[in-house]
Amino acid sequence: MSIFENTEVAFKLKSNNELRKAHAMFVAVDKNWLTDFGAWSLPWAIHIPGVKSLIKNTVFAHFCGGETRKESMLTIDKLYSQNVKSILDYSVEGKEDEAEYENCFNEIMAVIDDATGNPKIPFVVFKPTGFGSIKIFTKVGAGETLNEKEQKQWDNIRRRFDEVCKKSYENDVTIMIDAEHSWMQDAADDLAVELMEKYNKKRCIVVNTLQMYRHDRLAYLKEQYAKAEKENYFIGYKVVRGAYMEIERERAAENGYESPIQPDKASTDRDYNAAIEFIFQHRDRISLFAGTHNELSCKLVMDKIESNNLEKDVHNIWFGQLLGMSDNISFLLGSKGYNVAKYVPYGPVKDVMPYLIRRAQENTSVAGQSSRELGLIQKELERRKLEK
């Protein structure tokens, strides 16, 4: 039996009613047609009276902390009671103007204030596309010339990146930069490297993200380690499998270039595990945030901690999962004293719909994910019934 089968620990914070609601939601998510219909209909249905309330009390309540940072604090406190920390994730997506980018920047600056000196919130995170247009990142990454307006937009992106990292450095808060689509990632990576060089002289403040479903990421990790070793600064990576596989393959086929995606899942798993191995070999310089819902990957990190004779809560090795998913992993790790944090998304319901739809689609597309969640919930409901 897997060590991650303890449903009493996994669902300690959920009432019977909350578990039944979660069960109904995952049953719905398991039906592909319902998920696809939701992706098409919810963006406009949210404006129908009563629909917002329905969403907020079901899928939003399961996957998000609240509509504001203040609302999310209740969730953060509950998680912390079980030794699970939180990463406040402002999940407003799809905005396309400078005022919205500046609003996102100001929100991240406020989250840094909330995280300062707060053991409940060990990281702050932001998406590059929250700070600027994907079009600008793409042009910069491709080495294309920007016009005057575009150059100003790029200057604003650079300023926002630098100021959040500078404030994180001054407040001793670790900041993570999420990954994006491959065609814009080069520009974001270059900014991340520049900021690591600048702010990671004493410890790892700036953490970038590696999506290991890309076949070039393991080589990239090794290149960045060699650079950091030579120039004497620290680096850190959130290591994930990835979130945009189908979009990546479709765009590559449409535009006639080699797909950046691994040929199969086994190759992704191989490179994920190889990245973990490499980071542990060089853990004095590289910090790891293992962002995964894969039990075998979590067990690998646990085994590496043990075989290297490290404390379970060694400062630069973390596990992470999304709120509303894989509680059997997060709470087991927390109960055993490991460093583990949940991404706690927040934002107005209508503005986080793209995030919620992606979560539903992820549970549908990842083999066995929703079935796994359903099985664990059913097991816990049955255990509680027998306990009465």
Side-chain angles (χ1 to χ4, degrees):
M1 184 172 120
S2 166
I3 62 168
F4 299 109
E5 294 282 337
N6 190 331
T7 59
E8 183 177 5
V9 170
F11 300 117
K12 188 174 182 178
L13 295 178
K14 291 196 180 297
S15 67
N16 287 345
N17 187 48
E18 287 172 324
L19 279 178
R20 284 190 285 267
K21 281 167 59 175
H23 185 273
M25 187 199 66
F26 278 112
V27 167
V29 164
D30 208 28
K31 310 296 183 184
N32 289 42
W33 65 267
L34 185 59
T35 302
D36 293 340
F37 178 75
W40 170 78
S41 64
L42 286 178
W44 60 264
I46 192 73
H47 302 289
I48 299 173
V51 171
K52 176 184 173 181
S53 178
L54 175 64
I55 292 171
K56 185 168 184 179
N57 289 314
T58 53
V59 63
F60 182 91
H62 188 84
F63 289 118
C64 297
E67 293 200 76
T68 64
R69 298 192 313 278
K70 186 176 180 180
E71 264 189 33
S72 302
M73 290 304 168
L74 180 60
T75 298
I76 289 170
D77 288 342
K78 284 183 177 179
L79 292 173
Y80 193 68
S81 72
Q82 303 304 308
N83 195 35
V84 175
K85 283 74 170 183
S86 297
I87 305 165
L88 269 174
D89 181 15
Y90 185 56
S91 295
V92 173
E93 300 181 12
K95 302 301 183 181
E96 290 289 344
D97 63 73
E98 288 298 306
E100 291 290 352
Y101 297 141
E102 197 66 17
N103 179 64
C104 181
F105 162 74
N106 289 328
E107 189 68 27
I108 301 305
M109 294 290 271
V111 175
I112 295 170
D113 287 330
D114 289 339
T116 299
N118 187 349
K120 300 175 187 177
I121 309 174
F123 300 92
V124 175
V125 66
F126 71 92
K127 284 178 68 68
T129 49
F131 285 3
S133 164
I134 190 169
K135 176 185 173 185
I136 302 299
F137 280 101
T138 303
K139 289 190 75 170
V140 170
E144 297 179 21
T145 302
L146 304 180
N147 62 37
E148 186 177 346
K149 180 182 178 182
E150 290 170 337
Q151 185 61 52
K152 185 175 181 181
Q153 291 174 320
W154 178 241
D155 290 343
N156 280 333
I157 290 170
R158 289 180 59 85
R159 171 182 58 81
R160 292 174 188 126
F161 266 68
D162 184 73
E163 288 191 18
V164 296
C165 292
K166 181 174 185 283
K167 183 169 184 174
S168 296
Y169 172 78
E170 292 172 346
N171 291 30
D172 199 29
V173 171
T174 306
I175 187 153
M176 290 197 290
I177 305 171
D178 272 346
E180 302 273 7
H181 301 98
S182 64
W183 57 90
M184 66 148 287
Q185 189 62 45
D186 285 351
D189 282 342
D190 289 346
L191 274 178
V193 171
E194 183 181 320
L195 293 164
M196 284 182 183
E197 290 182 70
K198 188 174 183 179
Y199 295 114
N200 287 4
K201 292 294 188 183
K202 295 181 179 178
R203 80 166 185 90
C204 183
I205 292 288
V206 180
V207 175
N208 201 9
T209 301
L210 297 174
Q211 299 191 100
M212 302 311 296
Y213 70 173
R214 285 182 55 174
H215 56 66
D216 63 347
R217 293 295 86 180
L218 184 59
Y220 178 81
L221 167 63
K222 293 176 179 179
E223 289 168 6
Q224 291 307 310
Y225 168 75
K227 176 177 168 60
E229 180 80 357
K230 180 180 178 181
E231 299 177 23
N232 195 29
Y233 61 91
F234 296 93
I235 56 176
Y237 288 100
K238 178 176 70 166
V239 183
V240 301
R241 279 172 169 78
Y244 308 106
M245 184 169 64
E246 296 307 322
I247 296 171
E248 293 279 2
R249 284 179 172 155
E250 288 169 10
R251 187 178 189 272
E254 288 171 7
N255 291 277
Y257 61 84
E258 180 190 4
S259 171
I261 304 304
Q262 301 270 17
D264 50 43
K265 185 179 183 298
S267 300
T268 300
D269 292 340
R270 178 201 65 217
D271 277 13
Y272 190 99
N273 292 344
I276 299 299
E277 294 276 358
F278 184 82
I279 290 172
F280 267 92
Q281 289 167 12
H282 305 285
R283 64 185 182 277
D284 291 342
R285 190 168 297 274
I286 313 178
S287 294
L288 169 67
F289 185 95
T292 181
H293 298 161
N294 185 297
E295 294 175 8
L296 293 177
S297 293
C298 291
K299 187 64 168 59
L300 171 64
V301 176
M302 295 166 74
D303 290 344
K304 297 301 290 183
I305 289 173
E306 182 177 359
S307 64
N308 283 277
N309 297 313
L310 302 173
E311 297 293 328
K312 289 181 178 179
D313 61 349
V314 57
H315 71 94
N316 63 346
I317 305 292
W318 283 78
F319 299 82
Q321 290 80 41
L322 298 168
L323 185 69
M325 293 174 65
S326 299
D327 286 348
N328 61 308
I329 295 175
S330 306
F331 290 101
L332 182 281
L333 291 170
S335 72
K336 290 188 174 295
Y338 292 95
N339 290 326
V340 58
K342 285 281 201 185
Y343 261 60
V344 178
Y346 75 97
V349 174
K350 64 181 177 62
D351 290 330
V352 300
M353 288 312 304
Y355 173 85
L356 293 174
I357 290 166
R358 206 163 61 245
R359 287 290 74 78
Q361 290 172 333
E362 179 177 327
N363 275 280
T364 302
S365 63
V366 176
Q369 181 68 44
S370 56
S371 297
R372 176 68 167 149
E373 300 285 353
L374 272 170
L376 291 166
I377 292 169
Q378 288 170 338
K379 181 180 176 183
E380 176 59 12
L381 286 171
E382 290 167 7
R383 188 196 68 79
R384 291 183 185 186
K385 187 176 179 180
L386 290 171
E387 198 177 52
K388 285 184 178 179

